[in-house]
Amino acid sequence: MSEILAEAVSDLGAACQRIEGVMHSGGHGLPAGLTNVLHELGQPDATRTLLCSLLADEDALEQVARRSFLHRNGFIKLRLNSSPEFVLRLHVWTGDA
């Protein structure tokens, strides 16, 4: 994992700040910038790092738990942030869904 990527996913707050930074940059590069950041965050090592940091932070984990629910289609919908600008979600399908 690159040093920049490791820094971007060191915790949920850092990941959200990275997304917000791209969004606030605006211009014609916005869609490509968001695609790049989300692609990086979706890499297995980055996702693992992000989730491990979330599990280690009881306050953040409690906030995510309050915003999350079982979707009517049978998957668990985790809302990882509470920004008015965007929602970073993780959908978890179990064998029952």
Side-chain angles (χ1 to χ4, degrees):
M1 185 166 31
S2 74
E3 186 175 313
I4 293 172
L5 180 55
E7 182 180 310
V9 297
S10 60
D11 61 53
L12 183 57
C16 290
Q17 286 177 352
R18 177 109 186 263
I19 294 169
E20 287 174 355
V22 171
M23 290 178 67
H24 291 155
S25 68
H28 296 293
L30 179 61
L34 283 175
T35 298
N36 291 338
V37 170
L38 295 176
H39 176 75
E40 290 174 3
L41 291 174
Q43 297 303 305
D45 286 345
T47 302
R48 187 177 304 108
T49 300
L50 182 67
L51 293 176
C52 285
S53 72
L54 179 61
L55 289 171
D57 183 341
E58 288 186 31
D59 291 334
L61 190 58
E62 185 177 320
Q63 291 173 16
V64 169
R66 279 192 298 243
R67 293 188 296 263
S68 302
F69 59 94
L70 179 62
H71 192 275
R72 66 179 182 202
N73 289 342
F75 61 88
I76 301 166
K77 187 174 197 171
L78 302 172
R79 286 194 62 183
L80 300 177
N81 73 317
S82 62
S83 169
E85 297 181 54
F86 69 94
V87 176
L88 185 60
R89 296 183 300 254
L90 177 65
H91 294 177
V92 179
W93 284 265
T94 64
D96 300 334

